């Protein structure tokens, strides 16, 4: 019997976020709970059984510079390999690609992926000194073919014909993807079922029918999706995509590591660790759920308020960046700039039309008299 457990992206860091109480301790808590659970599972399995762990990418958030943190997480993955007898795998996420230099992931990676090598991703930026995380393109367990949907990896090669000729015993395909897989019907489903909009505030998204995102085979039965931090839940997909009649379960895993404070919500704490059991060619899909730590415990409220106030204080500057400024009509430009401030806009218009309020006129005259009396000079300007 083989049991596979999929870990949603943890985004492990060696430094805290400005608006968090202690992000490092938060992630450490989740990961050690997962490791302890795996140790318990291993103790219940027989010596002939195999336990496999697969991360869905973005294992580390970015580069590491803290030596103590590096050593802590190396020890963690050494222990994880001891528990699983060397069966720790990972999909390549966008953070593995974007933050290659000093990324602890690549220091620990055992790269067997043809896709990684063909893309030229292994450059002088990567220093490898251990082999604790296996990076492959596929894994075959009895009749199950597991595909690793690395970020922007093209899966067009995996047609039914090629799968059957390469692995004659394979009857089912499972995909673990670190790519955006969306469509109008999927977005609508999440709005109706869970009450949240996966594409709120965005101008577009990557459609699930983009060639290469899914393997073009009707053998596909289960798809686990990461990358989209706030996409969580499952639905059935029964439709023709790029000429292939698909019938599979699509399960979004969200992320364990909530790198954006906007992702932290008491209404969105549940996460799932998918469990796939392959026993005498029987395949079972299930999962364990757990909850992340609540918002009031992990968010530094004072720091968050200060950051939002600082953001709002720069609203006029951002408005200038997006204003439709036309230097041939400076008066209109000023009206655009001050459009959000009704008081300033009113004063501007009145001043231009020589309708300056009497109180303001008297205040200016009083200032001029005081300046003359005490010999003050100069002009009002921006410092």
């Amino acid at each position: 019997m083989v049991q596979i457990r999929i870990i949603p992206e943890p985004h492990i860091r060696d430094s805290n976020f400005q608006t968090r109480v202690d992000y490092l301790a938060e992630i450490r808590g989740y990961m050690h709970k997962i490791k302890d659970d795996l140790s318990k599972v291993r103790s219940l399995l027989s010596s002939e059984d195999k336990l496999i762990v697969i991360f869905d990418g973005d294992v580390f958030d970015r580069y590491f510079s803290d030596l103590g943190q590096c050593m802590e997480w190396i020890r963690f993955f050494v222990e994880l390999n001891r528990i699983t007898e060397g069966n720790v795998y990972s999909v390549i996420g966008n953070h593995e690609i974007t933050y290659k230099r000093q990324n602890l992931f690549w220091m620990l990676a055992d790269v067997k992926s043809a896709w990684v090598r063909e893309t030229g991703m292994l450059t002088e930026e990567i220093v490898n000194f251990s082999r604790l995380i296996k990076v492959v393109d596929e894994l075959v367990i009895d009749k199950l073919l597991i595909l690793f949907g690395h970020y922007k990896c093209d899966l067009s090669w995996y047609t039914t014909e090629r799968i059957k000729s390469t692995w004659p015993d394979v009857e089912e395909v499972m995909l673990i993807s670190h790519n955006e897989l969306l469509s109008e019907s999927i977005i609508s489903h999440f709005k109706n079922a869970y009450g949240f909009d996966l594409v709120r505030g965005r101008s577009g998204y990557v459609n699930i029918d983009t060639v290469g995102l899914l393997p073009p085979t009707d053998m596909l039965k289960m798809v686990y999706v990461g990358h989209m931090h706030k996409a969580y839940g499952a639905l059935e997909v029964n439709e023709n995509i790029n000429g292939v009649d698909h019938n599979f379960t699509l399960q979004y895993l969200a992320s364990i590591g909530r790198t954006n404070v906007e992702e932290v919500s008491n209404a969105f704490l549940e996460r799932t660790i998918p469990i796939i059991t392959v026993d005498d060619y029987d395949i079972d899909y299930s999962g364990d759920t757990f909850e992340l730590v609540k918002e009031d415990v992990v968010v530094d409220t004072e720091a968050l308020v200060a950051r939002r106030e600082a953001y709002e204080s720069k609203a006029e500057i951002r408005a200038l960046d997006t204003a439709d400024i036309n230097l041939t009509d400076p008066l209109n430009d000023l009206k655009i700039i001050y459009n959000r401030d009704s008081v300033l806009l009113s004063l501007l218009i009145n001043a231009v039309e020589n309708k300056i309020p009497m109180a303001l006129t008297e205040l200016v005259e009083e200032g001029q008299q005081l300046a003359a009396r005490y010999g003050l000079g100069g002009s009002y300007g921006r410092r």
Side-chain angles (χ1 to χ4, degrees):
M1 188 264 284
V2 178
Q3 185 176 118
I4 304 148
R5 295 202 168 210
I6 301 173
I7 313 301
E9 53 202 273
H11 285 274
I12 300 167
R13 289 174 61 95
D14 70 341
S15 59
N16 197 27
F17 287 108
Q18 180 185 2
T19 57
R20 303 297 268 277
V21 173
D22 192 343
Y23 181 84
L24 278 64
E26 182 186 342
I27 295 301
R28 186 184 298 115
Y30 301 145
M31 298 305 289
H32 280 274
K33 179 187 183 306
I34 290 170
K35 179 174 67 68
D36 291 345
D37 288 346
L38 288 168
S39 184
K40 292 174 184 175
V41 170
R42 177 67 264 183
S43 68
L44 297 174
L45 299 176
S46 71
S47 57
E48 291 81 21
D49 296 334
K50 184 183 288 187
L51 178 61
I52 296 174
V53 170
I54 304 176
F55 286 88
D56 189 23
D58 289 0
V59 179
F60 296 93
D61 192 54
R62 53 185 63 202
Y63 54 80
F64 264 53
S65 58
D66 187 298
L67 182 59
Q69 290 292 319
C70 284
M71 295 307 298
E72 175 183 342
W73 289 106
I74 291 171
R75 286 193 294 269
F76 175 88
F77 279 94
V78 166
E79 182 67 9
L80 210 57
N81 272 266
R82 185 193 66 77
I83 294 169
T84 63
E85 299 177 330
N87 287 300
V88 178
Y89 294 80
S90 181
V91 175
I92 299 296
N94 58 304
H95 279 244
E96 276 78 42
I97 296 173
T98 304
Y99 305 103
K100 287 191 296 183
R101 188 177 180 83
Q102 290 181 251
N103 190 324
L104 196 53
F105 177 88
W106 292 110
M107 299 179 192
L108 306 180
D110 181 12
V111 181
K112 305 295 184 184
S113 163
W115 176 79
V116 170
R117 296 187 180 278
E118 289 168 3
T119 56
M121 199 179 300
L122 300 178
T123 65
E124 66 278 359
E125 294 179 318
I126 294 174
V127 179
N128 179 272
F129 59 77
S130 185
R131 295 184 176 181
L132 298 174
I133 304 174
K134 291 180 171 64
V135 179
V136 300
D137 296 328
E138 66 269 324
L139 191 61
V140 177
I141 301 171
D142 294 341
K143 69 175 184 180
L144 177 65
L145 170 63
I146 302 173
L147 297 181
F148 288 65
H150 308 303
Y151 183 65
K152 292 190 175 181
C153 176
D154 189 337
L155 301 176
S156 299
W157 185 88
Y158 296 95
T159 62
T160 300
E161 182 180 357
R162 286 194 181 116
I163 291 171
K164 287 188 175 294
S165 63
T166 308
W167 303 283
D169 292 335
V170 166
E171 297 179 11
E172 258 183 57
V173 175
M174 180 183 91
L175 170 63
I176 308 172
S177 177
H178 193 95
N179 290 280
E180 189 170 273
L181 299 176
L182 293 172
S183 69
E184 285 187 17
S185 59
I186 292 171
I187 293 167
S188 176
H189 167 82
F190 275 95
K191 276 185 180 179
N192 296 332
Y194 302 102
F196 56 82
D197 187 352
L198 293 178
V199 293
R200 181 172 61 87
R202 295 173 50 185
S203 58
Y205 57 85
V206 180
N207 203 296
I208 196 170
D209 63 7
T210 301
V211 174
L213 284 183
L214 295 177
T217 172
D218 57 4
M219 300 170 70
L220 184 65
K221 299 302 176 187
M222 177 65 75
V223 178
Y224 295 106
V225 185
H227 186 48
M228 295 175 287
H229 288 202
K230 297 174 75 173
Y232 182 76
L235 69 157
E236 299 300 315
V237 176
N238 301 287
E239 59 183 280
N240 186 289
I241 301 175
N242 297 323
V244 178
D245 290 326
H246 281 290
N247 181 7
F248 60 84
T249 301
L250 182 62
Q251 183 164 350
Y252 295 90
L253 302 178
S255 67
I256 292 177
R258 298 172 289 182
T259 54
N260 189 324
V261 71
E262 302 301 328
E263 298 164 13
V264 184
S265 168
N266 288 344
F268 183 46
L269 298 175
E270 184 181 277
R271 295 295 185 272
T272 297
I273 304 291
I275 301 171
I276 303 92
T277 305
V278 183
D279 190 6
D280 292 331
Y281 285 86
D282 289 329
I283 303 171
D284 177 70
Y285 299 96
S286 60
D288 279 346
T289 60
F290 70 101
E291 286 199 347
L292 303 181
V293 182
K294 290 186 176 181
E295 182 177 355
D296 56 328
V297 178
V298 300
V299 175
D300 185 335
T301 307
E302 290 185 5
L304 180 60
V305 170
R307 194 182 78 167
R308 285 176 174 167
E309 287 177 349
Y311 180 82
E312 289 301 322
S313 71
K314 297 176 182 177
E316 288 186 8
I317 297 174
R318 292 195 303 276
L320 273 173
D321 291 337
T322 58
D324 184 17
I325 302 298
N326 178 5
L327 295 178
T328 60
D329 190 352
L331 176 58
N332 188 60
D333 293 343
L334 288 170
K335 288 181 179 179
I336 291 172
I337 292 169
Y338 291 111
N339 186 51
R340 293 185 180 181
D341 193 318
S342 59
V343 175
L344 287 177
L345 183 59
S346 176
L347 285 172
L348 171 67
I349 293 172
N350 287 334
V352 171
E353 296 178 356
N354 202 23
K355 297 179 181 177
I356 301 176
M358 185 60 67
L360 185 59
T361 303
E362 292 173 351
L363 185 62
V364 171
E365 290 177 351
E366 183 180 346
Q368 291 173 339
Q369 292 170 4
L370 287 171
R373 181 184 304 171
Y374 295 105
L376 300 175
S379 59
Y380 294 100
R382 187 173 182 179
R383 291 191 281 176

